[in-house]
Each structure stands twice: as C-alpha cells, then as structure tokens.
Amino acid sequence: MAPILNISDLRKSYADGFEALKGVSLQIETGEIIALLGPNGAGKTTLISTICGITTATSGSVTVGGHDILSEYRAARAMIGLVPQEINLEPFEKVINTVRFSRGLFGKPSDDAALERILRQLSLWDKRDNQIRELSGGMKRRVLIAKALSHEPRLLFLDEPTAGVDVELRKDMWEIVEGLKADGVTIVLTTHYIEEAEAIADRVGVIAKGELLLVEDKASLMARMGQKQLDVQLSEPLDEVPAALAKYNLTLCDNNRTLTYSYDTRAERTGITKLLSDVSAAGLVLRDVVTRQSSLEDIFVGLVHDEEEAAL
Amino acid sequence: MNWTAIKAIYLFEMARFFRTLAQSFISPVLSTCLYFVVFGAAIGSRIQEVDGVSYGAFIVPGLIMLSVITQAISNASFGIYFPKFIGTIYELLSAPVSFLEIVAGYVGAAATKALFIGVIILITAFFFVDVNIAHPVAMIAFLVLTCLSFALLGFIIGIWAGNFEQLQLVPLLIVTPLVFLGGSFYSISMLPPIWQTISFFNPVVYLISGFRWSFFGAADVPIALSLCAIAGFTTLCLLIIWWIFKTGWRIRQ
Ligand SMILES: Nc1ncnc2c1ncn2[C@@H]1O[C@H](COP(=O)(O)OP(=O)(O)OP(=O)(O)O)[C@@H](O)[C@H]1O
Ligand SMILES: [Mg+2]
C-alpha cells in the first residue's frame, strides 16, 4: 500500500535564519502509530506544523494520501487532524460550539450524532455546555483532541498529547489512541516520554537538531539494542575475573563485587545456567543475582549522546 | 468553494456577537443620542438648513456612516486578531480552506454586525428627526458596501497588528479623523476653498456624500464618483488581503 504520509527531504529555515529541519525524509504507512522522540527544540513541532500548513517549508515536499500539501492542499488537509502542543482555545466558547466549528471548518456537514460519539469517547459529553475556561487542564487537552477528531481525519498528529497530564489520564489517552488505531486512523505523536513510545507506538523515530537520526520498528529496535545484563553480586570482592570464567566476557564492577554478563534474550541459549554453575564451581559465593534490560530510554540517550559527540 | 467552512466561521463569529448583544448595541445607540442632543438640538437650532434639509436630519447619514465604519473596522480587526492572539489561528491555517473563504467568513460576519448597528442607529434617528429616504435601494446598497469595504480594511489591520495597542491605533489615528473630516456633520461646500480641495483626497467624503444623496437626493460629489471611490477602495483592500495570504505575511512563518 502507498504510504499515507510521504515526507521527502523537508527543510525549514525560520525568518531569523535558524534551520529547524535539515532534510527530513519519512514514510508512514496507513494504520500505524509512529512516535517521534526528541529533546526540546529538536524540530518535532516544526515538522508537524509544516505538514499541516501552519508554517511553510523552505524546500522539500510532502504528500498526504498521495495529495501534495501545497498544490492539493484541500484534499491533503481534509485528511489531517492536528492536536497542537499548546492549549489554544477560546476561553468563553462552549465546548460543543468549538467542536462543531472545527467540523464545519473542515467542510464536513453537521452531524450531531458523530460529535456526541466523540465527546462521549473523550468523557467530555457532560461538559459540552460548559465554557472552556471552566474546564481543567486535562479536559482542555481532550477538547483539542475532540476538535481534531471532529472531522474524522485519517491521519492524526498528536503533539505531546500527554505533557502535563496525570498518570490516569495518560493511560486514558493511550486507550483513545488504541481505539483510533482500531478504526484505522494513522497516528503520529511526539513525546518526551520513552515509556509512552514504548507503550503505544509501532515505530519510533528519533529527532535531534532538525535531523531524523533513526526510524525503526519498535520491536526490532528493542531487540537490536535490547541486550539484557545479568549482574552476579558476590559476597567477597575479587581481584580479577577467574580464568575459568573468561569465556563469558564478564566485566567486573561495583568495587569488584559484581560480575556483569551480557546476553541476548532472543538467543536459543542464554548461557545463564552454565554461567551460574561455573561461578559456584569456581568457588565464588553469590549474594544476589539481578537482570537488567536496556530500555528505549537507554537507546535514545545513547543516540542523542553519540550525535552530540560527533558534532564536537 | 468550501461553503460549509464559510458558514462555520460566519456563525461562530455571529455567536460571539449575539453573546454580547446588549453591549454591542448600547454604546453606539447612546453615542448617537448624544450626537443628536448636542449637534441636532443644541447647535443645530442655530444652524440654518443645509442643502434644504434641517441640520438634525442632515447629520443622520454621516452619523450612521461614522458608526458603521468604526464598527466594521473594530469587529473585523478584532475578529481575526483574537485567534492570532490566543493561538487558535492554527486551526484556520491547517484547515482545507482558501483565503477567500476565511475572508468571506470573517469579513461577512463583521459587516453583518456593522450593518445591524447601522440599522439600529437609523431607527434611533427616527425618534429625533424626520428623515425621508429618497432612494432606499441605493441607501441599502451604500450601507452594505461600506460595511463590507471597511470590514476588509479592519481584517487587514487585524492581521497587521502585533498587539492590542496597534489594533486600536489605526482606527484612532487615521479612520476617526478621516470620518470626522469627511463631512459627517457638515457639507463640504460649507468649507473654505482650500479645505474643499483637501477634502477631495479623503475617500470617506465620497462615501458620506453618496450615502447622503441616497437620503436627500443632493450630494457634494457626483454619485458615479462616489460609487467609483468605494469600488476602488474595496478592490484595493481585496488586493492587499490576497497578497497577505499569498505570502503568509504576519500569519505563516
Ligand atoms: N517561529 C519561530 N521562529 C524562529 N525559530 C523558531 C520558531 N519556532 C521554532 N523555532 C526554533 O526551531 C527549533 C525547533 O523548534 P520546535 O518547536 O520544532 O521543537 P520541538 O522539537 O517541538 O521542541 P519541544 O519538545 O520543546 O516542543 C527550536 O530551536 C526553536 O527555537
Ligand atoms: Mg514541540
């Protein structure tokens, strides 16, 4: 299937000359959830704004559902829903009115049943006649989502949907995203929370300083870098790794009290049983055994760090 | 044309107007009453008829123009400045709408509000003076055109303005003087020749003159010239707006 979103060599320099996007290319398939991770100022919002028509690209091209965002902007934008990072809402407007406005603005005939379904899904139905200033911060964020969903987009951008949102609501948000995915909506979300990407994304992209450093299937990314470590804590410190254990490539740390073994969880044999029996055969006394898995966070921090070092 | 979008913008803007209906009407009605008391009754009683019309009746078209122009500009400039100010403009920019549709929605709503107020003032005027309208159709046409063209100007001001002070600066510094010196309260022929010449560079003179013609059948400038002036002004505003959206000036980075 053709990608729903095709970004090729997108560049954006702001009026002050700052280059916020340095040639980003990315294809997004219909129905997937992609999480864009990146530190503050990486260019995540700029990327989304450029696709949605809020800022203009300096060069490069974008198509949405095969429609160029400039020459066929009507067809392209009609497919897009955008939940911006900032909470931009008219404080004195009623919830239902602003959602109805959004639907009309995108050229969809009014459909009260559809709006009711969306507001109920976001637990906003009881608040529909309240003015927006009477809502809590989390509710306002959900109003933004309701507005974006009001015209039934096929491609939804969520710019930090869970920033400043409590744990409970974050879980709700993830469920909403799952529900949208089930309806076949393609979702691009940006986040600073690795666990969020880990929890809901199919693919993960990492952006830093206007460049897309990596885009990879979450599972393979985890697997590729998803080594596990086994820490064997000893009751007595060692001077060096015993020769009998040399084949395991152990490292000695924690004041020589811990032996660390790296292994691949997907390998047929992890070698743990053998290692542990060899450890006791070598006469070492175990105090504790701990396993650790590198998370996306480790990968992400590693990547951004490498990039910074390369820049030096 | 995305008519649904135009309607959505129009209704959304009109809803804001109806929410504050009382406020919207009280101030123009009150100031019109004051004008009638001060200019119509107090000063007017010492002024002879102007062009064969009592002074009280003579100022009615000018008063309506004054309010309508002020209202059209302030409604339209606020209407588009507000989304820029609170950030909701992101939605307009990311919607499948053209600049024409955005302008039609915002300017249409601002012009409608101004028209409402113009009509209210006309009704108020009937309580103070006898007004006969010689050319009712032309009167309505002039009123509608004025509302539209100044709403377009207001829209430009709203896009240009970077803060609330600037939003009020243009109406205060440029429009109010032009309207007051445009013959709202006097006939251009009452001025010394040099000021008459200067007045003919004031576009508002043509509007008020044409509008007054629709009431009393007499005008300072030929009616055709008035129509050309308003058409030219509207075209100029439309061209500027077209350029704004083409270049994204002050709205799209
Ligand atoms: N209007 C603008 N004019 C000039 N520079 C801008 C503008 N908007 C953003 N930038 C710059 O572009 C860079 C990328 O900003 P952007 O908002 O895209 O980052 P982000 O990845 O969304 O960050 P965050 O995680 O903080 O939201 C930043 O250095 C920012 O200062
Ligand atoms: Mg951002």
Side-chain angles (χ1 to χ4, degrees), chain A residues 12 52-56 73-74 77-78 82 84 88-90 92-93 97 101-102 104-108 144 147, chain B residues 1-2 4-5 8-9 12 16 19 82 86-88 90-98 101 251-253:
Chain A
K12 170 65 185 174
C52 294
I54 295 162
T55 57
T56 45
Y73 71 95
R74 281 188 203 266
R77 291 186 196 166
L82 167 63
N88 301 318
L89 289 164
E90 289 205 23
F92 296 102
E93 211 53 66
N97 290 346
F101 170 71
S102 299
L105 192 63
F106 277 73
K108 291 267 178 161
L144 286 177
K147 280 166 78 71
Chain B
M1 272 304 235
N2 185 345
T4 321
I9 297 174
F12 196 69
R16 200 205 317 276
R19 258 206 312 273
F82 192 59
I86 61 170
T88 51
Y90 84 87
E91 213 180 3
L92 287 175
L93 297 179
S94 63
V97 293
S98 69
E101 290 148 1
I251 36 177
R252 250 189 204 116
Q253 284 115 9

Side-chain angles (χ1 to χ4, degrees), chain B residues 31-45 47-51 53-67 121-122 125 128-131 179 183-187 190 208 211-212 215-216:
Chain B
S31 57
T32 309
C33 293
L34 290 175
Y35 280 124
F36 274 118
V37 171
V38 175
F39 288 104
I43 300 174
S45 59
I47 299 179
Q48 295 147 359
E49 293 190 337
V50 186
D51 299 337
V53 183
S54 81
Y55 186 69
F58 178 83
I59 63 171
V60 170
L63 276 182
I64 294 176
M65 279 288 171
L66 181 64
S67 289
I121 289 172
L122 183 61
F128 289 90
V129 288
D130 279 332
V131 198
V179 175
S184 301
F185 300 108
Y186 55 87
S187 167
M190 294 159 84
I208 293 183
F211 194 49
R212 190 172 283 139
F215 276 78
F216 309 121

Side-chain angles (χ1 to χ4, degrees), chain B:
Chain B
M1 272 304 235
N2 185 345
W3 293 103
T4 321
I6 299 179
K7 192 176 131 199
I9 297 174
Y10 184 84
L11 292 180
F12 196 69
E13 286 299 298
M14 291 310 285
R16 200 205 317 276
F17 177 61
F18 284 116
R19 258 206 312 273
T20 54
L21 195 63
Q23 276 156 268
S24 311
F25 282 143
I26 283 177
S27 132
V29 169
L30 184 70
S31 57
T32 309
C33 293
L34 290 175
Y35 280 124
F36 274 118
V37 171
V38 175
F39 288 104
I43 300 174
S45 59
R46 293 158 188 272
I47 299 179
Q48 295 147 359
E49 293 190 337
V50 186
D51 299 337
V53 183
S54 81
Y55 186 69
F58 178 83
I59 63 171
V60 170
L63 276 182
I64 294 176
M65 279 288 171
L66 181 64
S67 289
V68 156
I69 289 174
T70 319
Q71 288 289 328
I73 289 178
S74 71
N75 286 326
S77 60
F78 185 78
I80 190 66
Y81 178 74
F82 192 59
K84 243 179 36 164
F85 179 68
I86 61 170
T88 51
I89 193 150
Y90 84 87
E91 213 180 3
L92 287 175
L93 297 179
S94 63
V97 293
S98 69
F99 94 92
L100 258 177
E101 290 148 1
I102 296 180
V103 171
Y106 279 99
V107 168
T112 310
K113 297 175 201 175
L115 191 63
F116 261 112
I117 288 172
V119 170
I120 293 283
I121 289 172
L122 183 61
I123 294 169
T124 312
F126 285 128
F127 287 98
F128 289 90
V129 288
D130 279 332
V131 198
N132 292 308
I133 302 168
H135 308 281
V137 177
M139 192 277 282
I140 290 166
F142 257 104
L143 200 55
V144 170
L145 271 175
T146 307
C147 290
L148 277 175
S149 56
F150 281 87
L152 285 171
L153 177 65
F155 189 89
I156 297 171
I157 295 170
I159 297 253
W160 163 81
N163 53 48
F164 275 101
E165 284 70 36
Q166 291 181 343
L167 197 62
Q168 272 151 2
L169 204 64
V170 174
L172 211 64
L173 281 187
I174 301 173
V175 178
T176 310
L178 283 185
V179 175
F180 267 88
L181 301 177
S184 301
F185 300 108
Y186 55 87
S187 167
I188 300 298
S189 58
M190 294 159 84
L191 293 174
I194 171 77
W195 283 103
Q196 286 194 26
T197 313
I198 291 174
S199 289
F200 289 120
F201 289 100
N202 178 354
V204 179
V205 166
Y206 299 88
L207 282 182
I208 293 183
S209 163
F211 194 49
R212 190 172 283 139
W213 169 85
S214 71
F215 276 78
F216 309 121
D220 289 330
V221 291
I223 182 69
L225 199 57
S226 290
L227 282 173
C228 289
I230 194 162
F233 178 62
T234 310
T235 313
L236 182 68
C237 290
L238 275 174
L239 281 175
I240 294 174
I241 290 175
W242 174 81
W243 174 82
I244 286 175
F245 277 87
K246 196 171 141 57
T247 59
W249 183 70
R250 299 242 167 167
I251 36 177
R252 250 189 204 116
Q253 284 115 9

